[in-house]
Amino acid sequence: MRLSPLLLLLLGAWTIPGGLGDRAPLTATAPELDDEEKFSAHMPAHLRCDACRVVAYQMWQHLTKAEAKLHTLDSGCRGKLSESVYTDVLDQSCSQTWQGYGVGEVDQVKRLMGPGLRKGPEPSISVIVMGAPWPTRLSKTCFHYLGEFGEDQIYEAHQQGQGALEALLCGGHRGACSEEAPVTRAEL
């Protein structure tokens, strides 16, 4: 009987110490959500910093994409949006479907996961609970920040850089990512 080189390679990896055969089986379970995380209309307090960072990232992405459309090859600089355009873009960023976001567990701590969130050490396998109610909560959070800061201030921060936009929305002594963030059940 003749074995193919690929099959021999796989069999060899299985029997070599440290190869595929020595690995413990990977298992993952979905995070157990409490009643607030499942049923409440607002963003749970322990997820507000992550939610703020998601909103800042999405606003940044939408504004940057709109500016790129104005960019011309011979101008050499990023286009500046008119007030009516950036107001519409920010409204669209809050009205989006917010797909791709959900809650997972990292080191036994529940976190929002999805595009724009910085990744620290993560397990090699994880389960994320997506769908309702997270898109609605993220949209409400986004509109909350639009109302709190206004489109003009948000666009000015965007022009200073992604970090400045995140600092405006999430930083400060009472921001969602500060140590002193209020833990009230506001309209988030």
Side-chain angles (χ1 to χ4, degrees):
M1 174 168 98
R2 194 166 172 191
L3 297 174
S4 73
L6 180 58
L7 184 56
L8 286 172
L9 181 62
L10 287 174
L11 286 172
W14 192 265
T15 60
I16 296 171
L20 298 174
D22 283 355
R23 289 193 180 170
L26 295 175
T27 60
T29 57
E32 294 207 20
L33 303 179
D34 63 27
D35 285 345
E36 179 186 28
E37 294 161 338
K38 285 186 216 174
F39 304 116
S40 178
H42 72 278
M43 185 63 71
H46 61 281
L47 298 173
R48 287 186 187 158
C49 179
D50 288 342
C52 185
R53 291 176 39 234
V54 165
V55 167
Y57 173 78
Q58 287 295 328
M59 286 179 173
W60 171 262
Q61 289 293 319
H62 280 83
L63 289 167
T64 300
K65 185 176 180 180
E67 288 173 337
K69 288 181 181 179
L70 295 179
H71 179 75
T72 59
L73 293 174
D74 51 10
S75 73
C77 63
R78 190 166 72 178
K80 185 173 179 179
L81 302 176
S82 68
E83 181 179 359
S84 64
V85 171
Y86 69 71
T87 299
D88 287 345
V89 169
L90 288 168
D91 186 60
Q92 290 168 8
S93 73
C94 291
S95 300
Q96 67 176 302
T97 62
W98 297 96
Q99 297 303 311
Y101 292 99
V103 172
E105 207 167 293
V106 178
D107 295 329
Q108 300 174 346
V109 176
K110 293 176 202 161
R111 304 290 308 262
L112 273 180
M113 297 181 156
L117 290 170
R118 292 181 195 94
K119 296 186 182 339
E122 291 186 21
S124 56
I125 188 169
S126 62
V127 177
I128 301 173
V129 178
M130 300 177 113
W134 307 111
T136 302
R137 290 175 180 166
L138 287 168
S139 181
K140 285 181 179 182
T141 300
C142 187
F143 280 116
H144 167 79
Y145 288 122
L146 273 182
E148 183 175 342
F149 295 102
E151 291 87 347
D152 295 340
Q153 191 174 0
I154 290 171
Y155 187 59
E156 286 175 24
H158 164 78
Q159 290 181 302
Q160 296 170 20
Q162 188 173 1
L165 179 56
E166 187 173 311
L168 171 70
L169 299 181
C170 310
H173 71 283
R174 294 182 46 84
C177 296
S178 76
E179 298 283 327
E180 303 168 22
V183 188
T184 60
R185 292 184 179 250
E187 292 290 321
L188 291 179

